[in-house]
Amino acid sequence: MEAQSSVSASDAQATRAAQAGLTLSFDAQARAVLARAQPPAGAVAIDERFVHDSLVAAGYAELRPLPGAIASLVARYNAGQTVDTLRIAECVDGRWQIDIAPDRLSAMLSIDPAQGGRPVSEQDVLDGLAAQGIVEGVLHGEIQQAVASGEIEHRVIACGRPPVDGRDGWLESKVPLSRSRAPQLTETGRVDFRELGAIITVHPGEVLMQLHLPTEGMDGLSVCGEVLPAKPGRRVSFASRLPGTRLDPANPHRLLATIVGQPVQVKNGLMVEPVHAVGAVNMSTGNIHFEGSVVVKGDVAAGMTIQASGDIEIGGTAEPCTLEAGGSIAVKGGVLGSQGRKDIVESVIRCGGNFSAAYAQQAHVEAGDSIFIDDVAMQCNLHAGKHIRVGNKRRGLVIGGHLLAGLSITGKVLGSPNRNATLLEIGVSPGTQRRIAELAQIRDAHAKQLLDIGKLMRFAELHPERVAPDMLERARSTAQMHMEEIGSLREEEGQLQALAEMAQHARVNASLRVYEGVVVKMGALQYKVTGELGPASFGITANGLAPMPYEA
């Protein structure tokens, strides 16, 4: 019934067009519909819709109408003018376009549908690919589906093969490492309490590290069959000076120990630090100044000094003394300091890595990384680059003193019922900010020297006869050294910048309670605790520095 109704409507429209004196015909040569009109006497005005309906009724619905011509036909007809052969619709062939991506790894097809003309064929597309030299990874199935749809936009019909860059050379450690001297970023806040363990030792001839060569990578192909070269991996080499080591004469890619000592990871290699062991440090042994790591099996007496380029491990208690380590310091017992006491010599504990002890009382401790105290920190001055954590299996009390950490301060109980003044400060230390500025200055100096070398190399290209080959080779080697150093400086600078960003989310955490007398400070902001709080954390909120729910 619907088909019959449609035919009837079409016939009716054709009849109305004829009665209106409108004649439509198709010109095969021009591939267009031509309109003629002779308005009869007393003709009723027509509109553009009438003309469009007449085109449909005459079987020209698929052709593209020409709006300007149709508007002219209507205007002239309604003015009573005769219209003689006006082109009002035309055949349009389907159109296609192939675009090659900027990286030349893919080609995309767009198709505009035909309007009464010839549709785009699969062969048209294949011919277009050939014309543009596209031969690699042609997707015939995608082309067939696109042509069948008649209209598509940016469909991928050819895929090249991307290059696979080579892997950089790398250094593989063959021995377990106690700690790395390289700065290591950790997640903000939650840090598990950990024992630092005994110092690991190696022996002469032991393999410390294996150097792996870079790979060349695999070249790719563009959709036009062009070779897309892969970037070869960057080479890596052992540092020129690694004390306590040598290269294996039978295999220069292996690093061997030459002494008994502790392996310590440094930039581009391992060094072996000798270990000095002593039963105790007191008046009978004197102070210890050692290039390496020091192990004290017993106690360190008051007023003594231990300075080590590596780690310091103390099996007993450290009375008020001076401990300075380039690595980490571990005290199995507790540490006693001189904060607030005038009857004994001033004592300071300072290390570049981590500090750990069972307890600390009136101690001044500075750690480049983190401080871990198991039981209690009483009236101490503790400064850590990243974290301070008091409490593991024992009480975890922080009573009085001043604690400063870049990322977090965590204890079970902060302050005391006696309202001891306890200052807890979080955020990046001025020392970190100074180091970031210092790294930028050093990097700029290397960049300036690299620029000067570049000028020399460009001069050598223009005047090869005026620059000796050995000078040019030294310039290339020096340029490579500066580039590697700039890369290393950027890496450290990025790590410190990331640490500074993480410090914006620094926290003070109490898993049990916080007493009045505790002051939390972050930059110019501070919060004074009044009364007693249950488990809580302190950090930047919408209301500034304030307490928030504690998260275990």
Side-chain angles (χ1 to χ4, degrees), residues 236-251:
V236 66
S237 58
F238 290 116
S240 58
R241 186 175 181 275
L242 296 171
T245 72
R246 68 183 177 97
L247 296 180
D248 186 347
N251 182 355

Side-chain angles (χ1 to χ4, degrees), residues 104-280:
R104 304 188 68 76
L105 284 172
S106 62
M108 292 149 291
L109 172 66
S110 297
I111 296 177
D112 292 331
Q115 292 178 280
R118 188 177 71 85
V120 175
S121 68
E122 183 179 352
Q123 190 59 49
D124 290 333
V125 178
L126 295 176
D127 291 344
L129 291 173
Q132 295 193 51
I134 299 172
V135 295
E136 179 67 23
V138 176
L139 306 174
H140 292 279
E142 294 296 322
I143 294 174
Q144 292 169 358
Q145 292 181 20
V147 170
S149 69
E151 184 176 7
I152 204 72
E153 186 173 356
H154 294 109
R155 171 171 286 189
V156 175
I157 59 170
C159 292
R161 188 178 72 224
V164 179
D165 292 340
R167 180 178 180 181
D168 292 343
W170 77 99
L171 300 176
E172 178 188 5
S173 175
K174 293 294 186 179
V175 296
L177 299 175
S178 53
R179 284 162 297 281
S180 170
R181 293 281 178 83
Q184 300 291 323
L185 296 177
T186 59
E187 294 182 2
T188 304
R190 308 294 179 252
V191 180
D192 292 334
F193 192 96
R194 57 189 183 276
E195 291 289 341
L196 296 182
I199 294 176
I200 297 168
T201 57
V202 295
H203 300 84
E206 189 171 345
V207 178
L208 301 175
M209 186 166 276
Q210 176 74 43
L211 183 150
H212 294 274
L213 295 175
T215 61
E216 291 299 320
M218 182 181 298
D219 291 340
L221 279 177
S222 74
V223 291
C224 295
E226 304 156 328
V227 175
L228 301 176
K231 294 180 181 178
R234 294 179 298 178
R235 63 182 180 86
V236 66
S237 58
F238 290 116
S240 58
R241 186 175 181 275
L242 296 171
T245 72
R246 68 183 177 97
L247 296 180
D248 186 347
N251 182 355
H253 296 155
R254 292 201 305 178
L255 188 68
L256 306 180
T258 58
I259 61 173
V260 176
Q262 175 195 12
V264 176
Q265 186 173 4
V266 294
K267 180 186 176 183
N268 289 348
L270 290 174
M271 59 183 291
V272 179
E273 292 181 336
V275 178
H276 177 73
V278 63

Side-chain angles (χ1 to χ4, degrees), residues 334-452:
V335 294
L336 301 173
S338 59
Q339 295 295 303
R341 299 175 60 179
K342 299 181 180 179
D343 57 328
I344 57 176
V345 67
E346 182 181 358
S347 65
V348 175
I349 299 173
R350 185 179 292 114
C351 62
N354 296 318
F355 171 83
S356 67
Y359 65 87
Q361 181 175 335
Q362 295 176 302
H364 180 101
V365 181
E366 299 176 12
D369 196 293
S370 301
I371 295 174
F372 304 97
I373 297 173
D374 193 12
D375 187 24
V376 58
M378 180 178 292
Q379 298 297 343
C380 292
N381 193 3
L382 308 180
H383 293 180
K386 295 180 182 177
H387 307 284
I388 296 175
R389 187 178 182 95
V390 181
N392 182 30
K393 297 179 181 178
R394 302 172 73 177
R395 292 177 293 175
L397 308 180
V398 178
I399 303 173
H402 176 200
L403 278 63
L404 169 64
L407 299 180
S408 72
I409 298 173
T410 300
K412 294 181 180 179
V413 178
L414 305 180
S416 73
N418 295 330
R419 301 181 181 179
N420 296 78
T422 306
L423 176 59
L424 308 177
E425 190 170 355
I426 49 177
V428 173
S429 66
T432 300
Q433 298 289 6
R434 285 195 299 270
R435 179 57 178 167
I436 292 174
E438 178 185 354
L439 289 171
Q441 291 179 348
I442 298 173
R443 174 167 50 78
D444 289 344
H446 281 285
K448 184 179 183 302
Q449 295 183 50
L450 191 60
L451 180 63
D452 293 338

